Amino acid sequence: MSALEKSMHLGRLPPRPPLPGSGSSQSGAKMRMGPGRKRDFSPVPWSQYFESMEDVEVENETGKDTFRVYKSGSEGPVLLLLHGGGHSALSWAVFTAAIISRVQCRIVALDLRGHGETKVKNSEDLSAETMAKDVGNVVEAMYGDLPPPIMLIGHSMGGAIAVHTASSNLVPSLLGLCMIDVVEGTAMDALNSMQNFLRGRPKTFKSLENAVEWSVKSGQIRNLESARVSMVGQVKQCEGITSPEGSKSIVEGIIEEEEEDEEGSESLNKRKKEDDMETKKDHPYTWRIELAKTEKYWDGWFRGLSNLFLSCPIPKLLLLAGVDRLDKDLTIGQMQGKFQMQVLPQCGHAVHEDAPDKVAEAVATFLIRHRFAEPIGGFQ
C-alpha cells in the first residue's frame, strides 16, 4: 500500500527527474526539459498509454459490481496488473507502454474494489479474501471457462492480493506470479508508522496539477511522466462542488435541515458546514479512498505472505527497491532458488512508476526465459 512507503522515510528523499526514455509515449519528450524551464504538472489521459478501457460486470450475492479495466495488446499471455493501496490501474500506464514494446503480451490493469473507477456495492470490504475473489470473478467475466495464460503482477497491497489469488487457485490458467516491493517482514514493521504517514499527507488539493506536483515533490512518485497519468486515479472531486449552482443548492439544503435543530447547536453546525463548503471550493480535490479507515485489513493482507508466496507452485519473480527489504523466509527461499529476484535501486516504493523501463525489462526477461512470451523487435 502506498505508504508501506517504507516507513515513511521515502517521503523525504528528493524527487528524481524522469529517466531518459522512461515509457514510450509522446509525452516523454515533453518532460525532459532543459534547466530553468517550468515543469509541466498537467494531467495526461489514460489513452496515451492504454489501447482501450472497459467496465466489467460481475454478478455476486449482493447484486452487480462493476470493475474498471484498462487494456493493451492482442496476443500472447495476459499480464493482470494489481495496484497498491490508494493507487489505481493508471499507476501501470507507463509500464504498459514499456512492456508492450518488448514482448508479445496482453495487458489488463484492474481498479481494485474501493479504488479508481470501480463501483461495488460494498466498497468498505477490502479483505484479502474478498479482493482475491474479485480478481477471479473479473477473469471469469472477461474470459469465461477458457481463460488465456495469465501472469499476476502486483505492487504492494496488489502484490499481496496477487499472492492470495494465486494460493487460492482463483485463476485456473495462472502461469506466473510477480510481487513488486512487498515483503511480509518489512510490511508488518511499517504498519505501525502507516497512520502517521497518512496523517502527514495533504487532505485536499486545489487542482489536479497541484496533486501531481505534490506527488512528485514529496517523492511518492519520482517519475513526473507517471505521476501525470496516475495521480488522476488517486484523487477525486470533493462531493457537491461540480458547478457553482451545485455548491449553492447544497449549502441551502444544509441550512434548511439545520433549522429544525435546537437553536444553540444549530448555528454552530451551520457555520461548520459552511466552512467545510468554503474549504471544498478552494480545494476541490481529495483522495478517492480514505486509507486510514482500511487499517483493520492491513494485517490480513501481509501476515503469512512470504510462505504463501513461496508455496505457489509456479515460476515467481520478486522485484524490490532495496535488498534490505528481504525477510528471513524469503532470504532462505531465495538461497534455495525458489523464486527469481531483482533489486532496482534508486527507486521509491512505487518501483514500476519510478523505473517503468527497468521493471518492463525484468518482467520481459522473465517471460522469455520461461518461454511464456515472444520478444518483439530484437529485445534481448
Side-chain angles (χ1 to χ4, degrees):
M1 54 188 299
S2 185
L4 291 160
E5 302 290 348
K6 297 313 155 281
S7 289
M8 192 168 87
H9 66 278
L10 289 174
R12 292 198 293 271
L13 291 171
R16 258 180 337 124
L19 298 168
S22 63
S24 48
S25 74
Q26 315 89 321
S27 61
K30 286 182 210 153
M31 262 168 313
R32 295 192 296 281
M33 294 185 250
R37 298 279 294 281
K38 194 164 182 280
R39 289 203 289 175
D40 184 359
F41 295 109
S42 59
V44 172
W46 63 265
S47 52
Q48 284 205 18
Y49 297 92
F50 297 102
E51 288 166 13
S52 63
M53 174 269 285
E54 185 185 333
D55 286 326
V56 179
E57 259 193 13
V58 166
E59 293 265 8
N60 56 32
E61 307 84 63
T62 54
K64 285 193 173 112
D65 289 335
T66 308
F67 290 86
R68 169 68 54 91
V69 299
Y70 299 88
K71 304 194 295 189
S72 279
S74 57
E75 52 189 319
V78 169
L79 308 186
L80 182 52
L81 310 177
L82 307 179
H83 59 80
H87 289 251
S88 79
L90 298 180
S91 72
W92 299 101
V94 187
F95 165 81
T96 292
I99 189 88
I100 284 281
S101 68
R102 287 168 167 82
V103 286
Q104 275 190 345
C105 62
R106 287 173 273 180
I107 293 293
V108 174
L110 170 66
D111 277 348
L112 292 163
R113 113 180 351 241
H115 291 74
E117 297 290 347
T118 282
K119 304 277 183 283
V120 296
K121 295 282 185 294
N122 182 6
S123 58
E124 306 286 304
D125 178 8
L126 296 188
S127 64
E129 186 186 3
T130 298
M131 288 206 284
K133 277 184 188 159
D134 288 341
V135 176
N137 289 339
V138 167
V139 168
E140 192 181 350
M142 288 181 76
Y143 303 112
D145 294 336
L146 287 171
I150 291 173
M151 178 172 174
L152 279 173
I153 302 178
H155 167 245
S156 200
M157 175 196 80
I161 302 310
V163 172
H164 286 282
T165 306
S167 67
S168 303
N169 295 317
L170 295 168
V171 177
S173 57
L174 195 63
L175 51 73
L177 178 63
C178 172
M179 281 201 307
I180 300 180
D181 214 44
V182 54
V183 167
E184 179 185 350
T186 320
M188 297 305 289
D189 290 347
L191 290 184
N192 296 326
S193 54
M194 180 68 173
Q195 289 287 10
N196 284 336
F197 171 87
L198 293 174
R199 275 194 292 272
R201 300 195 305 180
K203 290 193 169 38
T204 53
F205 299 98
K206 289 179 181 174
S207 63
L208 287 173
E209 285 87 348
N210 186 229
V212 172
E213 183 174 7
W214 173 83
S215 75
V216 174
K217 289 185 173 174
S218 69
Q220 181 183 308
I221 302 171
R222 302 188 195 178
N223 178 340
L224 176 56
E225 180 179 11
S226 194
R228 288 176 68 191
V229 62
S230 84
M231 273 306 281
V232 178
Q234 289 196 54
V235 296
K236 63 178 181 181
Q237 275 205 305
C238 293
E239 277 138 35
I241 55 153
T242 44
S243 66
E245 295 77 30
S247 63
K248 182 165 172 281
S249 62
I250 279 197
V251 172
E252 284 169 359
I254 289 166
I255 292 167
E256 281 160 24
E257 278 171 41
E258 292 296 347
E259 277 163 3
E260 297 166 21
D261 241 344
E262 283 155 34
E263 284 178 29
S265 59
E266 172 221 327
S267 55
L268 188 70
N269 283 345
K270 192 168 86 179
R271 267 207 312 279
K272 183 179 181 304
K273 292 192 179 183
E274 284 173 344
D275 287 349
D276 286 350
M277 284 308 304
E278 286 308 314
T279 307
K280 284 181 180 178
K281 278 185 222 168
D282 293 341
H283 296 81
Y285 289 89
T286 188
W287 299 103
R288 280 181 189 242
I289 177 168
E290 284 191 67
L291 280 178
K293 289 185 177 173
T294 66
E295 182 170 13
K296 61 182 170 187
Y297 299 115
W298 299 348
D299 193 85
W301 296 343
F302 303 115
R303 191 175 296 283
L305 187 64
S306 293
N307 281 318
L308 275 183
F309 176 70
L310 292 168
S311 65
C312 291
I314 44 174
K316 295 178 285 292
L317 176 63
L318 178 64
L319 300 177
L320 298 175
V323 75
D324 59 321
R325 309 279 206 263
L326 273 187
D327 59 22
K328 186 184 163 194
D329 290 328
L330 288 182
T331 303
I332 294 167
Q334 215 254 326
M335 288 159 77
Q336 293 170 339
K338 289 189 175 173
F339 62 92
Q340 192 182 320
M341 185 180 87
Q342 195 165 331
V343 177
L344 301 172
Q346 291 149 353
C347 291
H349 180 45
V351 181
H352 58 302
E353 296 204 61
D354 294 351
D357 283 320
K358 287 181 181 170
V359 173
E361 263 166 39
V363 171
T365 303
F366 177 88
L367 289 166
I368 293 163
R369 178 176 294 155
H370 290 283
R371 297 194 165 86
F372 293 154
E374 295 294 318
I376 287 177
F379 174 74
Q380 295 297 311

